[in-house]
Amino acid sequence: AASTGNHLLNRYCATNELHQDVTIAAQEEVVIDLYFSKLTASSLPRSTHLTYVHIYSISKHANTLSELDDKMLLGELQQKINVTTNLLIGGLMVDATRIGGLGRGGEMHIPTICGTRFAVVEQHTNRIVKYFTASAEALQHINIGAGAVELEFISPQTYIHSVGLFTIWGDEHLQAVLKPGESRRIKSIEGERWIAREFAKDAAHYDQEVLTFDATSEQYQIIHLPHS
């Protein structure tokens, strides 16, 4: 998807057949790609001073608080891997299983089923900092501990070829194309890495890397691509 970098389906390799139909459909088995912003706590707003989080998968069954004992409250979250506990979400207690943890700059790939719910819980405070549900996209990128920022990329008029702007999520994902002398504003997140590549001579592939840039916590950032 152009706005998220998610993969709508698993990769398809073209054959030598002249006509090939590729069906894009909802996926049942999907992968969640979690990324915890690598920016240190000192470079983030106070509200996002996270250093370590635990990832839980949520059961579809939910109980009202009146059906549970006080001992099952959120404050008694167990921090052992693959241990079932309880989380308070939207006024309901739900069964949850810890599937791992992440520190700053960490990544986690979670094979799962479309519709599975997840909660990201801060260590020590047990505060739920993110709650999301796996969609029908084959590969989904989820950011933790990073706020939204706006980037403006500016391409010099001296460039001969257009430049592709890529984000890095395991591999590179094309987000926009800049013509010589053009500027473009793009939404991003703190800590997200960008690569600008100039078109190759045959104009069919991106070749030379002209800039690598990591988004900071500034709400608005201007990035001038270097003159060739």
Side-chain angles (χ1 to χ4, degrees):
S3 60
T4 63
N6 292 348
H7 295 183
L8 299 180
L9 73 167
N10 293 320
R11 295 194 175 190
Y12 172 80
C13 294
T15 68
N16 58 1
E17 296 181 16
L18 294 180
H19 180 79
Q20 303 169 46
D21 292 323
V22 180
T23 301
I24 299 177
Q27 304 293 304
E28 178 67 18
E29 297 181 355
V30 300
V31 176
I32 300 294
D33 185 8
L34 283 174
Y35 173 71
F36 193 177
S37 172
K38 66 181 179 181
L39 293 182
T40 60
S42 61
S43 63
L44 290 171
R46 292 183 179 180
S47 60
T48 55
H49 278 187
L50 300 172
T51 58
Y52 194 88
V53 294
H54 300 275
I55 314 301
Y56 290 84
S57 62
I58 307 299
S59 169
K60 293 183 179 180
H61 175 70
N63 302 292
T64 62
L65 288 176
S66 61
E67 295 173 333
L68 297 168
D69 297 329
D70 291 340
K71 66 180 180 180
M72 300 176 71
L73 292 177
L74 183 60
E76 294 189 8
L77 261 176
Q78 302 177 61
Q79 304 298 347
K80 298 178 181 178
I81 193 166
N82 293 330
V83 171
T84 299
T85 184
N86 299 98
L87 294 176
L88 177 61
I89 298 178
L92 298 177
M93 274 294 185
V94 296
D95 295 331
T97 301
R98 184 181 184 276
I99 57 178
L102 285 175
R104 284 274 171 203
E107 295 184 43
M108 181 184 297
H109 305 280
I110 308 172
T112 188
I113 302 298
C114 174
T116 302
R117 298 178 297 166
F118 296 89
V120 179
V121 180
E122 184 179 18
Q123 185 170 253
H124 302 309
T125 67
N126 295 328
R127 178 173 60 95
I128 297 177
V129 297
K130 197 174 190 67
Y131 174 71
F132 61 92
T133 302
S135 71
E137 295 167 305
L139 177 63
Q140 301 157 48
H141 304 301
I142 304 295
N143 296 295
I144 303 170
V149 297
E150 185 175 36
L151 310 178
E152 182 173 5
F153 290 91
I154 300 176
S155 174
Q157 293 183 349
T158 55
Y159 277 15
I160 299 176
H161 304 292
S162 296
V163 172
L165 302 177
F166 298 80
T167 52
I168 300 179
W169 283 90
D171 52 6
E172 297 180 10
H173 300 266
L174 178 63
Q175 301 294 341
V177 176
L178 288 182
K179 296 179 180 179
E182 187 178 29
S183 66
R184 179 74 62 85
R185 292 192 178 190
I186 304 175
K187 299 294 184 182
S188 184
I189 59 168
E190 299 165 318
E192 186 167 42
R193 172 156 290 190
W194 289 79
I195 291 182
R197 293 190 182 278
E198 192 172 9
F199 266 125
K201 293 181 180 179
D202 61 4
H205 302 86
Y206 291 99
D207 187 13
Q208 181 181 0
E209 178 183 321
V210 297
L211 177 73
T212 299
F213 172 80
D214 292 335
T216 69
S217 58
E218 296 292 329
Q219 290 299 300
Y220 175 66
Q221 302 162 53
I222 299 178
I223 303 95
H224 291 273
L225 300 183
H227 290 271
S228 56

